[in-house]
Amino acid sequence: MRCLAARVNYKTLIIICALFTLVMVLLWNRCSSDRAGPFPRSLTGPERRAAAAAASESDPARQQSEEASPQEQQKAPPVAGGFNGNKALGLKYEEIDCLINDEHTVKGRREGNEVFLPFSWVEKYFEVYGKIAQYDGYDRFEFSHSYSKVYTQRAPYHPDGVFMSFEGYNVEVRDRVKCISGVEGVPLSTQWGPQGYFYPIQIAQYGLSHYSKNLTEKPPHIEVYETAEEKDKTGRSVDWTVPKGCSLSTVSDKAKFTSVKQFVAPENTEGVSLQLGNTRDFIISFDLKFITNGSVSVVLETTEKNQLFTVHYVSNTQLIAFKDRDIYYGIGPRTSWSTVTRDLVTDLRKGVGLSNTKAVKQTKIMPKRVVRLVAKGRGFLDNITISATAHMAAFFAASNWLVRNQDERGGWPIMVTRKLGEGFKSLDPGWYSAMAQGQAISTLVRAYLLTKDHAFLSSALRATAPYKLPSEQRGVKAVFMNRHDWYEEYPTSPSSFVLNGFMYSLIGLYDLKETAGEKLGKEARVLYERGMESLKAMLPLYDTGSGTIYDLRHFMLGTAPNLARWDYHTTHINQLQLLSTIDESPIFKEFVKRWKSYLRGGRAKHN
């Protein structure tokens, strides 16, 4: 009996262990299935997304999470495909060869029926864009069909308002801007030649951008350092250093009807200096009048190992020079009173980056502190200030340049050879651009509306003359299919019909006709109306069904179309948005809607 009981207990124990093991296996499989997520192993990508959507609809907590703010949603990006970091909880990837157009092979990854191609290949093949970004410690991949931005249009557009989205333009920092001329106060371009030339389009954009910034930004902080008054309004103690052999005195100036500082500092001395010590702002301005040759220099402490660099503004016409840690800008003789306003950040970086090529060399140097101002020679100084911005000084520098440099034909000749492409004849120096004419008019109109100075309006009215002459007669007019008047950004032979330059020329004509009145603005109104008729008729020619075309060379030369880059595509949209606020034709809004969809991968319907 004792042996029988032992046998029974032994058999029972084996059965109990077997049952316990079976239960544990079942529980383990159940837990593993739950951790693998709501996606069955056999579901493909689209089916998995459908399952996820169904799970979301049946889960109120999940719905609430997805309706939270974008910032909250970014904290924990959802994990797709049963993966968490690098640990696979569902199917594992395996490598697979992907044959592309029967031409070459790239290595891909396979997960069940889903195949993944490397984004480095996708990016180049489809010309799309993406990057890995991190939010609160989580990585996610951000994909974009395009890289450029459409701006919200301020409606309606007015000739005295912000110009398109130009408040976001920073013309002076472009690497194809050699520097801001000390004599003229406007950019010198190296767009098509390293020697540098004054490009009226760039100069007008420089003026319009600063005009627009002035309307959209807060008034700048201004620090006054010297007014030559006995009682400085700021209460600041003026700290001048006058070394041996130099002199500094306060005198009354009859032309300015105020007191000014007169300095005498021979070239072989250290010069008279004013301590500034500004670490906040870097736009310096001062009124200056030289009696002899001289210079006003600004010493800067920089981020380059705290080294001191000096920017010299010299009474000659040298454009720019850089040696050791000294940068030189010629500002002209300045023998009568004038205001010098300079952006020390731009002047420092353009000097350090000076090169003999088209592009300014990249540099990370920045000013940290404006240490002091040093004057040499004989002359007068007044109203020395440092401010955060000086937008209107830049705007009027551009406006005055346009008045001074307009020729007898009403245009601003571009003094550099331009070759638009194969099949077009080169444009010899002295050619006009409808885009330059239009943006110059938009600049001059704003200067007139601010000052009521008729010199600006007269210059704008004369600028319509090239619109009426064909390119063969040094004008900017072309005619498409013997029917539609067009104003050429590049008056090539054969005609090129560049879209964005044409629309800029129309905006200028609109600004002028609205400002000059019915009588003076009659010519501008006729040119504008003819141009708008052409635009409405020809706009469909620039639509590819997935983007836009820069010009019509494919029609004029029988070549492949010149597709617009995304930044030009968004320029087309921004221009049409503006025009839609001054012309109620539905075509503009229709094209804006369709062309915006292309930025997100939209396509026109196929047959």
Side-chain angles (χ1 to χ4, degrees):
M1 286 294 292
R2 197 175 288 168
C3 291
L4 181 62
R7 268 187 220 148
V8 170
N9 290 339
Y10 179 72
K11 288 180 181 179
T12 304
L13 182 62
I14 292 174
I15 293 170
I16 291 171
C17 289
L19 289 172
F20 180 79
T21 302
L22 181 62
V23 170
M24 290 298 293
V25 169
L26 290 173
L27 287 173
W28 177 263
N29 286 340
R30 176 66 180 271
C31 292
S32 297
S33 175
D34 290 343
R35 280 201 305 271
F39 304 128
R41 281 176 176 265
S42 60
L43 291 185
T44 62
E47 292 169 333
R48 185 177 293 135
R49 287 190 290 273
S56 174
E57 289 174 4
S58 62
D59 188 349
R62 185 166 181 159
Q63 283 183 316
Q64 185 176 0
S65 172
E66 291 178 354
E67 290 170 2
S69 68
Q71 290 81 3
E72 291 170 333
Q73 291 188 40
Q74 289 170 3
K75 288 183 179 179
V79 178
F83 276 74
N84 184 5
N86 294 323
K87 297 180 180 179
L89 298 177
L91 292 175
K92 293 183 179 180
Y93 291 121
E94 59 184 29
E95 194 171 87
I96 186 171
D97 287 337
C98 302
L99 180 62
I100 309 300
N101 297 328
D102 288 327
E103 293 177 347
H104 62 277
T105 301
V106 298
K107 294 293 184 182
R109 298 288 185 272
R110 177 180 177 181
E111 180 195 4
N113 292 328
E114 194 77 81
V115 175
F116 302 89
L117 287 162
F119 185 72
S120 58
W121 178 86
V122 172
E123 184 176 31
K124 293 178 181 178
Y125 190 85
F126 293 101
E127 293 188 24
V128 291
Y129 310 90
K131 63 180 181 180
I132 295 174
Q134 192 174 78
Y135 294 86
D136 295 329
Y138 291 89
D139 286 347
R140 76 177 185 189
F141 186 75
E142 296 180 344
F143 174 89
S144 178
H145 187 75
S146 60
Y147 61 80
S148 197
K149 179 181 178 181
V150 174
Y151 291 90
T152 302
Q153 172 60 38
R154 297 172 178 85
Y157 172 78
H158 292 293
D160 62 348
V162 172
F163 188 83
M164 284 187 50
S165 57
F166 274 37
E167 74 276 14
Y169 278 35
N170 294 292
V171 175
E172 52 267 49
V173 306
R174 296 173 183 171
D175 62 0
R176 296 298 179 90
V177 170
K178 194 178 190 75
C179 65
I180 303 299
S181 164
V183 175
E184 301 287 351
V186 296
L188 194 83
S189 177
T190 55
Q191 185 78 20
W192 299 310
Q195 74 282 2
Y197 56 93
F198 291 111
Y199 188 30
I201 290 177
Q202 202 171 73
I203 292 168
Q205 290 182 353
Y206 177 69
L208 290 168
S209 68
H210 281 285
Y211 178 92
S212 300
K213 289 175 191 290
N214 188 65
L215 292 178
T216 55
E217 295 179 4
K218 295 178 180 178
H221 172 262
I222 301 175
E223 198 79 30
V224 179
Y225 288 90
E226 179 62 84
T227 62
E229 298 296 332
E230 289 184 9
K231 293 183 179 179
D232 194 302
K233 295 179 181 178
T234 64
R236 172 188 298 277
S237 60
V238 181
D239 188 9
W240 283 96
T241 301
V242 183
K244 186 177 180 180
C246 302
S247 66
L248 181 72
S249 58
T250 302
V251 299
S252 179
D253 187 275
K254 294 179 181 180
K256 287 174 67 72
F257 301 104
T258 187
S259 296
V260 299
K261 285 294 183 182
Q262 182 175 14
F263 63 89
V264 177
E267 187 63 33
N268 60 357
T269 67
E270 294 179 0
V272 299
S273 62
L274 173 64
Q275 293 301 311
L276 302 172
N278 196 314
T279 59
R280 173 175 174 173
D281 302 317
F282 298 98
I283 306 290
I284 193 163
S285 181
F286 49 86
D287 296 343
L288 174 66
K289 177 184 176 181
F290 281 124
I291 299 173
T292 63
N293 289 336
S295 65
V296 175
S297 305
V298 182
V299 180
L300 301 172
E301 182 184 339
T302 69
T303 55
E304 190 70 25
K305 300 177 181 177
N306 294 327
Q307 289 181 337
L308 298 181
F309 281 70
T310 304
V311 184
H312 305 272
Y313 302 107
V314 188
S315 61
N316 61 32
T317 56
Q318 181 181 34
L319 179 64
I320 183 175
F322 176 51
K323 184 179 180 181
D324 298 328
R325 293 196 295 273
D326 293 288
I327 302 161
Y328 299 88
Y329 289 89
I331 59 172
R334 304 278 176 165
T335 53
S336 58
W337 279 108
S338 63
T339 301
V340 177
T341 302
R342 303 297 298 184
D343 183 338
L344 296 170
V345 175
T346 300
D347 285 350
L348 173 67
R349 291 170 65 85
K350 295 294 183 183
V352 173
L354 187 62
S355 73
N356 294 320
T357 64
K358 290 182 181 180
V360 174
K361 289 186 294 187
Q362 295 295 313
T363 175
K364 294 181 179 179
I365 192 169
M366 291 289 288
K368 289 174 61 178
R369 183 167 64 100
V370 187
V371 180
R372 61 183 173 273
L373 176 146
V374 181
K376 290 186 179 182
R378 291 179 60 198
F380 304 91
L381 279 167
D382 195 17
N383 296 326
I384 301 172
T385 65
I386 294 179
S387 60
T389 60
H391 295 313
M392 295 315 289
F395 169 70
F396 280 113
S399 302
N400 289 323
W401 186 94
L402 291 169
V403 172
R404 289 195 307 271
N405 290 275
Q406 188 177 31
D407 68 11
E408 69 281 356
R409 299 168 66 92
W412 290 273
I414 299 169
M415 304 307 296
V416 66
T417 301
R418 175 71 170 121
K419 177 74 172 177
L420 188 59
E422 289 299 322
F424 293 112
K425 293 181 181 178
S426 294
L427 294 170
D428 295 326
W431 54 280
Y432 300 123
S433 166
M435 179 172 168
Q437 298 297 120
Q439 291 192 336
I441 290 172
S442 293
T443 306
L444 292 164
V445 161
R446 284 164 172 77
Y448 168 72
L449 290 171
L450 277 174
T451 65
K452 301 304 178 185
D453 184 341
H454 279 270
F456 294 122
L457 182 60
S458 297
S459 180
L461 290 168
R462 289 196 300 274
T464 60
Y467 282 79
K468 297 177 287 184
L469 296 175
S471 57
E472 308 88 66
Q473 299 178 28
R474 288 196 65 205
V476 297
K477 180 182 175 183
V479 182
F480 183 73
M481 299 292 287
N482 298 316
R483 184 173 179 181
H484 300 295
D485 287 358
W486 192 274
Y487 312 124
E488 291 271 63
E489 178 179 350
Y490 304 107
T492 53
S493 180
S495 299
S496 45
F497 301 101
V498 175
L499 179 58
N500 84 93
F502 177 56
M503 287 195 278
Y504 278 129
S505 76
L506 294 178
I507 296 168
L509 290 173
Y510 174 82
D511 287 343
L512 183 56
K513 82 177 185 67
E514 290 294 298
T515 302
E518 188 174 347
K519 185 177 180 181
L520 288 176
K522 181 179 179 181
E523 194 169 72
R525 177 177 57 79
V526 172
L527 292 167
Y528 170 77
E529 289 174 354
R530 288 177 181 169
M532 288 294 276
E533 288 176 7
S534 300
L535 179 63
K536 293 169 188 176
M538 295 173 63
L539 205 51
L541 300 179
Y542 293 86
D543 193 328
T544 69
S546 59
T548 51
I549 295 175
Y550 179 79
D551 56 29
L552 295 185
R553 67 182 63 191
H554 59 293
F555 184 87
M556 302 303 296
L557 298 174
T559 62
N562 185 21
L563 301 180
R565 300 192 312 251
W566 285 121
D567 49 342
Y568 276 103
H569 179 73
T570 52
T571 295
H572 294 157
I573 296 171
N574 289 327
Q575 290 173 315
L576 290 179
Q577 284 187 153
L578 184 154
L579 293 174
S580 71
T581 71
I582 59 179
D583 188 302
E584 295 181 352
S585 300
I587 187 172
F588 295 131
K589 288 185 172 67
E590 291 169 5
F591 272 76
V592 165
K593 183 179 179 181
R594 183 158 71 248
W595 288 2
K596 277 184 176 180
S597 74
Y598 297 162
L599 293 167
R600 301 183 299 275
R603 296 286 188 274
K605 294 180 180 180
H606 55 72
N607 60 7

